[in-house]
Amino acid sequence: MSLRAKLEYHAAQIRKLTITAIESAGYGHIGGSMSICDALAVLYCDIMKIDPLYPDKPDRDRLVMSKGHCGPALYATLAYKKYFPESLLTQLNRNGTSLPSHCDRLKTKGIDISTGSLGQGYSLAAGVAYGCRLKGYDNTCYCIVGDGELQEGQNWEAAQFVAHHNLSNLTLIVDNNKRQLDGYVQDICKQFDLAAKLKAFGLEVFEADGHDVLEIREALLAAKSSNKPNAVILDTQKGYGCCFSEIEGFNHYMVVTKEMADKARAEIDRRLQTP
Amino acid sequence: MKNMLVDNFAIDQVEMRQAYCDALIDVARQNPYVLDIEADVQYSMGTKRFKEIFPERSINCGIMEAHAVGFCGGLSAMGYIPFFHAFGVFATRRAFDQVFLALAYQDMNVKIIGGDAGVTATTNGGTHMPFEDMGLMRLVPDMTVIEPADSAMYPYAVHYMANTYGNFYLRSCRRKVMKIYGDNVQFTIGRANTLTQGGDIAIIACGIMVYEALKAREILLKQGIEARVIDMHTVKPLDVECVKTAAMECGAIVTAENHNVKGGLGEAVCAGLAQEYPVPVELVGVNDMFGQVGDQSYLMKVYGLTAENIAEKAIRCLRRKTK
C-alpha cells in the first residue's frame, strides 16, 4: 500500500468515526469537522510524536484544537489511535459524557488544551510551546484554527508574540475552509491575503491542498524542519468528504440521521476504493 | 487575643510593589517553575529587579493582556507557575474570557496580580481605576480572591499562591500604604484576622480600608462604641465563620472596601450572613460609579471611603440594630 493510500485510508476511517459520533448525538458541527479530517489523519498517523499507551509522556508533541467545536473530528482521531475505545464516540454530548461538543482537557484522554471560545487557542499553544522550549524538549506543538476564527484579534496578538519569541516549535495550521457559521468568510468579513498577513506578522508560511494527504504531509514536514515560527494554510472545503454535508449550503452544524450517516459512510468507502 | 498590630501606625517603609517583587524573587529562588509574565507595566509595577536576577524567567508579552493570560494557561499546562502582573482593570476586565476559559475552566495554576486597586490608581483616572475587578474575579468558579492590607501580608500571600495549586487573583497597589501588621504575624488564606476586640459592631474591611476601619474605631470609641475590626484579606472564599461569629457577638456589621459595593466584599458578606445569621449591615464602598482622576485622599472623600464615612455608617447600623 502506498503512503498516499495508507493516509487516505486513515482519513476515511476518521471521517466515518466522526460521522458516527455526530450521528449518535443526533446533530453536531459536521462542516468544520469534515474539513480537518485529512490533516488530523496525517498529524496523528504520520507526523506527530505521540504514544497512545503513554498519553502523558512529557516530551510528546501536542495539539491545540483552537476551533474547539470540531472536537468530534479530534475525538474520532483519538479513538482511531486507541486513546479510548471507539464505542465511546457514541457518547458525544450525552449527559455526564467525557466527550463534550468542545474539547476539554479535564474530561478526555489525549486532549491537551480545552478550547471553545474562538481565538484563544493560539495563545495557549504559545504557552505550551514556550514551556516545551524552556524544558528543552525536542518536540512540536500544533494549533489548528479556522479561517473564520482568525477574525478574533487575539490570534494576531499571539502571532506577533510567537514571531517575536521565535517559537519555531509551534506550527499554526489554518483550516481555510472559506466558511463560518453565518456564511462565507468573504461575505461576512473578508480576510484579504491570509498568507501575506501571516508573513507580515513574522511567520514562515507553507500552503497545501488540505484534502491531499501527501501535500499536507509535505507542508507539515517543511514546517517541522523550519527554524522559524511558522504556519501551514490548508486549502479546504467545509463539509468535505461527507456526501450530505459537502452539498449543503449551511453545514456548520447539521442534524444527522442514521440514514444519512449510513449513506455517507458507504460513500466514503466507495470513494476510497475508486481512485 | 494576640495583638497583630504595629505599636504606632505610620506609612510603611516599603512600597507594595517592592514587597511583591521581593516575595516573587524569594519564591522563584525556591521554585524553578515560577515565572513572571508581564504586559508592558514592568516599570510601573516594580518587577524590573526580578528580570535582572532571572532574565530567562521574566517574559514581557507587550501590550496584549488577552494573549498574555492565554499564554500563562499554556505555560501552566506545561507545569510552570506563571505570576501575571498588570493593572487590575486590564488583568481582569479586559481579559475576563481568557481568565475564565484559558485558566479557571481548565484548572490551570496561574496567579494574577492586579495593580492600582480602586482609588490608588489616582491620576490615571477612570479608565485605569478598578472598582469591579474583585467582583469579576469572584464570579469565576474556583478563583481565590485576595487583597492584602500591607507589605507584611503581601509576601505571605505570594508564598501561599506559589505553593498552592490553583488560580488566584490578588489585587494590590503599588505605592506605600499604612503599615498595619507588626512583625511575625501569621496569616491564613481564607481565614480573616480579627484585629481588635469589640462587641458593639463589627467592621469588616480589606486592603487600604483596613486602616480606615481602625481609624473609624477610634472615632467610635469617643462615642462609647467599641467596634471589632476584621481584616477580610481573602474575599473569596469568604471566612463565613468569622462573619457569623461577628454577627452573633456584635449584632451589626459595616463592610468597607475600595471597590464597587456591587460584587465586592460587602455583597459577599451580605450573602454569607443572609444564609447564616442575618443582622443589620451597612456597606461602605463605591456606589456603582466610575473612577476619575484625583489624589487618593480626594477620591476617598468623593466616593465615601474615609474613616468618617465608616463611623457614620456604623452609627446608622447601630440604630437599626436597636430597633
Side-chain angles (χ1 to χ4, degrees), chain B residues 15-322:
Chain B
E15 281 195 324
M16 289 294 265
R17 57 184 161 185
Q18 187 191 330
Y20 170 65
C21 187
D22 289 346
L24 194 63
I25 291 167
D26 273 354
V27 295
R29 284 198 170 116
Q30 290 163 17
N31 187 332
Y33 294 103
V34 168
L35 301 176
D36 165 44
I37 310 302
E38 302 279 345
D40 198 40
V41 287
Q42 194 154 42
Y43 183 85
S44 312
M45 307 303 277
T47 44
K48 283 270 183 198
R49 215 154 43 77
F50 184 98
K51 191 176 177 66
E52 286 161 18
I53 298 171
F54 302 107
E56 306 295 321
R57 292 164 66 183
S58 178
I59 303 154
N60 197 335
C61 295
I63 310 165
M64 44 173 88
E65 292 81 6
H67 166 74
V69 170
F71 175 62
C72 287
L75 287 169
S76 170
M78 290 305 301
Y80 287 94
I81 307 170
F83 277 71
F84 171 56
H85 203 198
F87 292 157
V89 285
F90 306 125
T92 61
R93 198 171 70 210
R94 189 178 188 104
F96 186 73
D97 191 38
Q98 287 74 16
V99 171
F100 198 98
L101 288 175
L103 307 187
Y105 182 71
Q106 42 193 315
D107 193 27
M108 295 303 189
N109 185 24
V110 176
K111 326 299 169 180
I112 305 165
I113 312 298
D116 283 8
V119 293
T120 72
T122 63
T123 51
N124 267 337
T127 54
H128 285 56
M129 200 164 282
F131 290 150
E132 65 293 320
D133 55 328
M134 287 200 295
L136 289 166
M137 293 299 101
R138 276 184 65 222
L139 278 174
V140 178
D142 292 334
M143 179 70 73
T144 301
V145 180
I146 301 171
E147 185 174 20
D150 74 358
S151 68
M153 162 88 199
Y154 207 156
Y156 181 84
V158 171
H159 281 263
Y160 182 87
M161 291 191 290
N163 294 324
T164 309
Y165 192 94
N167 298 294
F168 286 75
Y169 177 64
L170 182 146
R171 86 187 300 239
S172 181
C173 41
R174 59 172 109 165
R175 300 184 188 88
K176 292 175 180 173
V177 297
M178 293 300 289
K179 185 94 161 66
I180 303 293
Y181 288 102
D183 296 331
N184 304 318
V185 173
Q186 297 293 308
F187 300 88
T188 305
I189 297 302
R191 282 286 168 83
N193 289 343
T194 300
L195 301 179
T196 68
Q197 293 287 17
D200 296 325
I201 190 162
I203 307 171
I204 302 176
C206 58
I208 61 167
M209 297 304 286
V210 173
Y211 176 66
E212 296 302 316
L214 289 165
K215 275 202 297 181
R217 184 177 194 273
E218 297 303 314
I219 297 170
L220 292 166
L221 268 180
K222 286 177 189 154
Q223 300 177 48
I225 301 162
E226 201 174 3
R228 175 181 306 190
V229 176
I230 295 166
D231 175 7
M232 190 62 73
H233 48 73
T234 310
V235 175
K236 182 189 170 188
L238 190 79
D239 185 350
V240 178
E241 275 311 304
C242 173
V243 173
K244 186 179 165 186
T245 304
M248 291 170 82
E249 293 178 3
C250 303
I253 287 175
V254 176
T255 62
E257 60 195 305
N258 170 26
H259 184 275
N260 195 335
V261 291
K262 296 190 190 306
L265 174 67
E267 279 195 355
V269 167
C270 287
L273 280 177
Q275 293 173 80
E276 295 287 338
Y277 195 88
V279 296
V281 185
E282 294 282 337
L283 279 62
V284 172
V286 177
N287 192 15
D288 210 21
M289 293 165 79
F290 292 108
Q292 59 184 299
V293 293
D295 63 39
Q296 192 170 315
S297 59
Y298 167 80
L299 292 171
M300 289 182 80
K301 286 192 187 88
V302 167
Y303 294 109
L305 306 180
T306 64
E308 291 73 19
N309 297 125
I310 296 172
E312 206 176 292
K313 290 251 171 132
I315 289 162
R316 194 154 87 189
C317 202
L318 281 170
R319 283 198 207 108
R320 290 171 57 204
K321 173 185 169 183
T322 52

Side-chain angles (χ1 to χ4, degrees), chain A residues 58 62 104-106 112-115 117 120 123-124 126-128 130-132 134-135 137 154 157-158 160-161 165, chain B residues 33 35 56 59-61 64 66-67 70-71 73-75 77-80 97-98 101-102 105-108 165:
Chain A
R62 282 164 174 80
D104 189 328
R105 79 183 193 111
L106 303 179
D112 292 313
I113 289 289
S114 305
T115 49
S117 180
Q120 293 201 27
S123 296
L124 281 149
V128 171
Y130 204 105
C132 287
L134 281 176
K135 292 197 168 179
Y137 295 160
Q154 188 183 339
E157 295 185 356
Q160 197 170 343
F161 177 92
H165 291 276
Chain B
Y33 294 103
L35 301 176
E56 306 295 321
I59 303 154
N60 197 335
C61 295
M64 44 173 88
H67 166 74
F71 175 62
L75 287 169
M78 290 305 301
Y80 287 94
D97 191 38
Q98 287 74 16
L101 288 175
Y105 182 71
Q106 42 193 315
D107 193 27
M108 295 303 189
Y165 192 94

Side-chain angles (χ1 to χ4, degrees), chain A residues 4-19 33-34 36-42 45 73 76-77 80 210-213 216 240-241 268 272:
Chain A
R4 174 182 291 281
K6 271 188 208 164
L7 291 174
E8 286 180 347
Y9 176 81
H10 296 318
Q13 307 317 308
I14 289 168
R15 264 202 179 82
K16 288 191 291 181
L17 289 171
T18 306
I19 292 166
S33 290
M34 288 297 112
I36 200 62
C37 281
D38 298 296
L40 288 171
V42 175
C45 301
T77 309
Y80 184 61
H211 300 307
D212 181 316
V213 288
I216 297 169
Y240 182 88
I268 288 167
L272 195 59

